[in-house]
Amino acid sequence: MASGKLKTIAQSILDRCDIRIDGDRPWDLHVHQDAFYGRALRGGILGLAESYLDGWWDVDQLDQFFYKLLWADLEKSVRQSWRSQLFLLGQRLVNRQRKSKKMEVGERHYDRGNDLFEAMLDARMTYSCGYWKDAATLDEAQEAKLDLICRKLRLEPGMRVLDIGCGWGSFARFAAERYGVSVVGINNSVEQTKLGRLRCEGLPVEILVQDYREVTGRFDHVVSIGMFEHVGFKNYAAYLDVVRRCLADEGLFLLHTIGANLTLEVPDLFVEKYIFPGGVLPSIKVIGEALEKRFVMEDWHNFGADYDKTLMAWFANFEAHWPALQPAYGDGFYRLWKYFLLSFAGAFRARSNQLWQLVLSKKGVPGGYVSLR
């Protein structure tokens, strides 16, 4: 089909979300290669992403572009290529997050370079959504989130806490310093673990390179912040069984996770290929099914809109530090990381993605649990 006709088709689709090709507004699309139209229309989400990575199109405000696309549910009208459909079928049939793949996401994402994440994140290196209710800066939002978690868990000095997917140890360090608890953190990233141990030196914090399926011991409370997205729907029950086994009978489990409005059994193709291999967002339905006969739901808190602010703050930091990062990472990485951060910001702004904190108990808190906000 001629590029002129493909452009007309593309514009007719974009008209539904008030985006113009070669328009003059910040969210309008500027196309540099006519081949873009066929690639995006045939390739769907991945075709759109890869054509951006190759420099075939640009938008002044990528976050607002994706907000408009997703708010209009435009992604539902773009069909996937046969290669994409075949890949997604394979994802349904296999356990993408099986134990033999446990180090993959760490090696391909979290081990990219501590210098990148030190530049992008807050002072504590907290790689999850901040809590902006009373915060004005990224550092304040992340400290507010960590403190909120500690209060929701009712931490007291001398308690022992398990942190599943502890990252660079931001929660472990905060909880040990502010609440006097000891923390065992587990992680699948070698580089994160090395730096996390340094940042927690002198505190009652132990950080291990270990898969959640290998955890032993008993803990007063368990926390998991931004790790459940890597577990995979085939493993939710096994994951929760591990938590239940490790959690004291009167203890609480706080699960902090990005959530999807729809039940998905497969990853976003762009995210799978370039950002988080094996990552799949849980829905309310699949979480609820996995919790049955394992935990009592004490509290479910959604502050997904705060992830928009968090991602925009991360991008501002990334952009400000890019001149120092560029020699090591290269211009292609800049486009990839910009697309990642700003497309996610647009998704949370459009409320396509959520951020949930669940507080769970084994048998129910005697007298009831008081929700905190």
Side-chain angles (χ1 to χ4, degrees):
M1 190 179 293
S3 62
K5 188 165 185 180
L6 290 172
K7 179 178 179 179
T8 300
I9 294 172
Q11 183 61 75
S12 69
I13 295 172
L14 293 171
D15 282 342
R16 291 158 46 191
C17 49
D18 190 32
I19 295 173
R20 299 177 196 144
I21 297 172
D22 298 324
D24 57 3
R25 298 167 301 174
W27 57 84
D28 285 334
L29 191 68
H30 300 280
V31 177
H32 311 308
Q33 296 278 350
D34 285 343
F36 158 76
Y37 303 110
R39 189 176 184 184
L41 290 170
R42 286 190 297 269
I45 293 170
L46 190 59
L48 182 69
E50 291 187 330
S51 58
Y52 178 84
L53 301 186
D54 289 341
W56 288 15
W57 62 277
D58 278 295
V59 172
D60 290 341
Q61 289 185 2
L62 200 59
D63 53 301
Q64 193 65 1
F65 170 79
F66 275 100
Y67 161 71
K68 286 184 165 288
L69 285 181
L70 294 167
W71 187 254
D73 292 327
L74 199 63
E75 78 281 5
K76 296 176 184 176
S77 63
V78 180
R79 63 187 181 91
Q80 300 293 347
S81 69
W82 68 267
R83 290 186 179 86
S84 297
Q85 292 179 41
L86 188 61
F87 169 79
L88 293 174
L89 176 61
Q91 294 290 303
R92 290 189 179 95
L93 296 177
V94 302
N95 186 350
R96 185 68 178 80
Q97 300 82 11
R98 59 193 180 275
K99 194 173 180 180
S100 62
K101 291 279 188 179
K102 66 181 182 180
M103 300 300 290
E104 184 179 11
V105 69
E107 292 167 351
R108 288 180 51 190
H109 186 90
Y110 298 105
D111 290 348
R112 285 180 186 269
N114 284 328
D115 58 340
L116 167 66
F117 294 106
E118 284 179 304
M120 185 179 86
L121 303 177
D122 63 301
R124 289 186 176 275
M125 295 187 72
T126 311
Y127 197 18
S128 55
C129 181
Y131 189 50
W132 291 84
K133 179 173 175 283
D134 299 309
T137 67
L138 180 62
D139 281 358
E140 290 176 359
Q142 295 294 14
E143 289 225 352
K145 185 266 298 295
L146 296 174
D147 191 62
L148 180 66
I149 291 172
C150 291
R151 289 186 291 117
K152 284 183 176 182
L153 288 173
R154 302 176 174 180
L155 296 189
E156 295 179 4
M159 288 181 170
R160 188 167 182 252
V161 181
L162 172 64
D163 183 356
I164 302 176
C166 64
W168 291 277
S170 62
F171 169 80
R173 180 179 173 184
F174 182 91
E177 288 176 337
R178 300 287 181 88
Y179 285 82
V181 301
S182 63
V183 183
V184 175
I186 64 166
N187 203 332
N188 281 345
S189 167
V190 173
E191 293 304 314
Q192 276 191 326
T193 298
K194 288 178 182 176
L195 184 55
R197 288 170 177 168
L198 286 174
R199 295 173 71 88
C200 294
E201 255 184 345
L203 294 169
V205 173
E206 182 181 14
I207 299 180
L208 307 172
V209 178
Q210 188 177 67
D211 185 76
Y212 69 87
R213 284 160 282 217
E214 301 166 348
V215 177
T216 59
R218 194 81 158 172
F219 299 85
D220 295 297
H221 301 292
V222 179
V223 64
S224 182
I225 306 170
M227 184 272 181
F228 197 63
E229 302 90 331
H230 302 301
V231 171
F233 75 100
K234 290 180 180 291
N235 304 309
Y236 293 151
Y239 176 89
L240 292 172
D241 283 340
V242 169
V243 175
R244 183 173 172 82
R245 171 169 50 79
C246 293
L247 182 64
D249 288 342
E250 302 302 320
L252 295 173
F253 169 41
L254 187 140
L255 178 64
H256 173 115
T257 181
I258 298 173
N261 293 335
L262 301 175
T263 298
L264 307 171
E265 295 181 354
V266 294
D268 176 288
L269 291 173
F270 163 72
V271 173
E272 164 68 24
K273 186 172 181 179
Y274 291 99
I275 308 297
F276 295 114
V280 181
L281 301 184
S283 67
I284 291 174
K285 176 184 175 181
V286 296
I287 291 175
E289 290 174 346
L291 290 177
E292 285 190 15
K293 298 182 181 180
R294 293 182 175 90
F295 287 99
V296 173
M297 173 65 64
E298 300 288 358
D299 188 38
W300 194 310
H301 182 188
N302 184 359
F303 53 98
D306 285 17
Y307 227 142
D308 177 13
K309 293 181 180 180
T310 303
L311 285 153
M312 294 305 294
W314 287 348
F315 178 70
N317 286 344
F318 172 67
E319 183 128 270
H321 288 91
W322 178 245
L325 295 168
Q326 193 275 340
Y329 290 88
D331 292 335
F333 180 82
Y334 176 83
R335 290 186 74 84
L336 170 64
W337 216 245
K338 179 178 181 179
Y339 191 93
F340 159 48
L341 294 174
L342 296 185
S343 65
F344 270 49
F348 281 99
R349 193 174 306 163
R351 303 309 308 279
S352 294
N353 292 341
Q354 310 305 324
L355 189 286
W356 298 323
Q357 280 189 357
L358 285 66
V359 178
L360 307 164
S361 65
K362 281 187 173 182
K363 300 179 181 179
V365 174
Y369 178 84
V370 178
S371 300
L372 299 175
R373 298 291 184 267

